Amino acid sequence: MDEVKQLVTDIKNRNLKPIYFLMGEEAYYIDKVSDFIEDTVLSEEERGFNQMVLYGRDISVDDIVSNAKRYPMMADYQVVIVKEAQDLSRSIEKLAAYAENPQPSTVLVINYKYKKIDKRKSLYKTLKKTGVVYESKKLYENQVADWIRRVLSPKGYTITPKAAQMLVEFLGTDLSKINNELEKLQIILPKDSQITPEVIEENIGISKDYNNFELRKAVGDRNALKAHQIVNYFAENPKDNPMVVTVSLLFNFFSQLLHFHGLKDKSPRSVASALKINPYFVNEYVTAARNFPMRKVSAVVSTLRDFDVKSKGVGANSVPQGDLLKELLVRILN
């Protein structure tokens, strides 16, 4: 995020590079940087003659170079944006020859999503000298809640840790999807509002009471009644609550709990740092550790591995996933 801010600042200050090669697994920031260049480098009057958008599936690298070598008309720059450039992955190295001596009056933007070029080859090495190479890396799940807070803060909104966790659980680590939902909430809510689990439930449709986050807490508390209520809800709504996701989240929780048991320093700050969790959730691990000794945690992790295989249809094709989940819960709590 800081690297993106620096890129945006440089572009605003007209410290432009002839090539921006935007690559990586996380498409959100690739789109953000590309859109910013598209919207700001040229004035509205200049764009008609000097800005073009190409698509990787429709062109060749030679087409990119041909367009990039043109001169701008009645403007200091022309902007050439290549979207879905990953479709040119087999021939993208041919761009190295242009990158060695790029047209200084062209701003060439390459959107190379979900992949990255080989850093040992000439294209990458040349781009590092003459342009900008930005790699947009996928965030780990434990980083996304903090990202949500950082995105909302400058816009005048806050979010509770539980609400942020609900979004991560429901939408995963896809920043574009999460940002779309946040933008919807910002339209509905006045500035200085706090996004709570109730707001998430009412406007996005994620249940604040029946979700994997609450199941994890109920299991950690050994609250069998609540855990069974949630699992029964999942069994009745399997499409919205796939077992493979539930098993994965429980596996991560008990793996972290195993790590917790091995910590010498169990102060809240140390635990949050070691487990890479929000300090708000540390007490859940303290409680779960009391309820699940290390030996039991090890057994649960082993059980979850077995059920992870079953949830993917191996050795349990005819068993409904709701029944598997109920069996898993009994095994964990017994």
Side-chain angles (χ1 to χ4, degrees):
M1 197 167 180
D2 293 335
E3 191 177 351
V4 171
K5 285 181 179 178
Q6 186 59 55
L7 269 175
V8 168
T9 299
D10 288 344
I11 294 164
K12 279 182 180 176
N13 293 335
R14 308 298 288 178
N15 180 16
L16 299 170
K17 299 295 184 181
I19 306 177
Y20 291 85
F21 199 98
L22 314 173
M23 65 181 187
E25 290 296 319
E26 180 49 69
Y28 175 80
Y29 283 118
I30 293 174
D31 287 336
K32 282 290 183 186
V33 174
S34 180
D35 290 348
F36 185 76
I37 292 172
E38 185 174 352
D39 294 339
T40 60
V41 170
L42 300 179
S43 67
E44 194 170 342
E45 295 77 19
E46 292 171 331
R47 288 175 202 154
F49 291 108
N50 297 292
Q51 186 158 286
M52 66 186 67
V53 178
L54 309 172
Y55 289 86
R57 64 178 177 273
D58 300 325
I59 58 168
S60 67
V61 172
D62 289 339
D63 294 326
I64 296 173
V65 173
S66 175
N67 282 287
K69 285 185 174 180
R70 290 172 51 214
Y71 289 95
M73 294 180 63
M74 297 177 289
D76 294 329
Y77 294 98
Q78 71 153 344
V79 176
V80 179
I81 298 170
V82 184
K83 297 191 175 183
E84 310 302 334
Q86 66 273 12
D87 290 340
L88 294 166
S89 60
R90 292 184 179 180
S91 58
I92 197 67
E93 275 295 319
K94 291 170 65 177
L95 191 62
Y98 173 78
E100 286 179 4
N101 187 27
Q103 181 78 6
S105 58
T106 294
V107 176
L108 175 61
V109 185
I110 307 291
N111 295 327
Y112 199 80
K113 294 180 180 178
Y114 315 116
K115 293 183 178 182
K116 55 186 178 180
I117 54 175
D118 192 333
K119 296 179 181 180
R120 298 167 297 180
K121 294 187 176 179
S122 61
L123 176 58
Y124 177 81
K125 293 175 181 177
T126 305
L127 286 169
K128 290 291 285 183
K129 293 176 184 176
T130 60
V132 169
V133 182
Y134 168 66
E135 184 178 347
S136 184
K137 296 179 180 178
K138 205 83 172 170
L139 293 185
Y140 293 112
E141 189 173 298
N142 59 23
Q143 297 174 310
V144 179
D146 183 57
W147 177 86
I148 292 171
R149 286 189 288 274
R150 292 176 70 183
V151 166
L152 289 172
S153 180
K155 299 176 182 178
Y157 295 87
T158 58
I159 187 168
T160 67
K162 180 178 175 181
Q165 192 68 32
M166 286 170 65
L167 286 173
V168 176
E169 179 200 311
F170 191 71
L171 300 170
T173 59
D174 189 322
L175 302 187
S176 296
K177 283 184 180 179
I178 294 172
N179 188 64
N180 287 341
E181 297 300 335
L182 293 177
E183 287 181 346
K184 291 176 190 175
L185 293 176
Q186 289 165 54
I187 292 170
I188 298 164
L189 301 172
K191 280 197 173 180
D192 299 321
S193 296
Q194 183 174 63
I195 299 171
T196 63
E198 290 74 19
V199 169
I200 297 288
E201 181 175 48
E202 184 177 345
N203 295 288
I204 299 180
I206 308 171
S207 172
K208 67 180 177 63
D209 296 316
Y210 297 96
N211 56 63
N212 284 310
F213 173 80
E214 290 298 327
L215 176 61
R216 186 189 76 179
K217 187 174 187 308
V219 168
D221 291 344
R222 277 197 174 270
N223 187 337
L225 176 60
K226 186 173 182 180
H228 281 289
Q229 287 174 338
I230 296 170
V231 164
N232 288 335
Y233 177 85
F234 286 0
E236 292 170 5
N237 301 274
K239 287 185 179 179
D240 294 331
N241 304 279
M243 182 178 173
V244 65
V245 175
T246 299
V247 172
S248 175
L249 289 169
L250 286 173
F251 180 83
N252 289 339
F253 175 63
F254 277 96
S255 297
Q256 287 176 312
L257 199 55
L258 202 59
H259 188 183
F260 176 89
H261 274 296
L263 293 176
K264 291 182 179 178
D265 182 356
K266 290 186 171 63
S267 65
R269 181 177 294 181
S270 177
V271 171
S273 175
L275 301 187
K276 295 182 172 59
I277 60 172
N278 188 304
Y280 176 86
F281 300 113
V282 167
N283 282 339
E284 290 186 18
Y285 288 83
V286 173
T287 300
R290 290 197 204 103
N291 291 325
F292 291 89
M294 184 178 281
R295 183 176 293 180
K296 176 62 177 176
V297 174
S298 298
V300 170
V301 168
S302 177
T303 299
L304 285 163
R305 285 200 181 100
D306 293 339
F307 276 80
D308 178 54
V309 173
K310 291 180 181 179
S311 73
K312 294 168 182 171
V314 180
N317 286 329
S318 59
V319 182
Q321 293 217 337
D323 291 344
L324 276 176
L325 198 52
K326 292 173 185 177
E327 181 187 345
L328 171 61
L329 187 59
V330 169
R331 295 270 295 274
I332 290 174
L333 294 177
N334 281 355

